[in-house]
Amino acid sequence: MVLLTAGLVATVGGGSWWAAAAMEGSMQADAATLLAGSPVAVSFSGRDATVTGDTADEVEAAAAVVQAMPGVRTVTPQLRVPTPAPAPSVTVTPPASITRTTSASPSTTAGPTLAPTSTPTLAPTPSATTPAPEWKAVQFGGGSASLT
């Protein structure tokens, strides 16, 4: 009896997994066909879709198309987060040597005078090609989070 139950569970469980994977693949293909040429990406987890794009208008339009597909339970619109530009780097070249000079006659300054033999140079800073994203600040007022 236990062996029969275990076999039944394995058969139903394996069949369910196979059916879910086939359904996801079918829905993914249907969404790709409906949104051909659109710059958005659609992914499925079971019957739940996530629509990802660069602008809210693109995402909302694609989400409406995906939501109208048969079998789709929920659609989550999501904006892509732009990748921040790399931080500029500065290279400083130290002087090749420092020459110590002393004066033969007494001077008003005590100690030797250091004279650099070369001037440090700065490497050019690359310009940012992508504007920095604007993030809303998270503030905790009274124990609850609020976006401003």
Side-chain angles (χ1 to χ4, degrees), residues 12-13 19 38 40 45 51-52 55-56 64 70 83 87 92-93 116 122-123 126 128-130 138 140 147:
V12 171
S38 176
V40 298
S45 177
V51 178
T52 307
T55 67
T83 307
V92 177
T93 306
L122 298 176
T129 57
T130 307
V138 177
F140 295 94
L147 294 174

Side-chain angles (χ1 to χ4, degrees), residues 69 81 87 126 147:
M69 289 174 46
V81 178
L147 294 174

Side-chain angles (χ1 to χ4, degrees), residues 40-41 43 50-55 59-60 63 75-81:
V40 298
S43 62
T50 301
V51 178
T52 307
D54 293 325
T55 67
V59 171
E60 290 300 323
V75 177
T76 305
Q78 188 175 25
L79 289 176
R80 285 189 186 104
V81 178

Side-chain angles (χ1 to χ4, degrees), residues 85-92 121-129:
S89 63
V90 175
T91 305
V92 177
T121 58
L122 298 176
T125 304
S127 62
T129 57

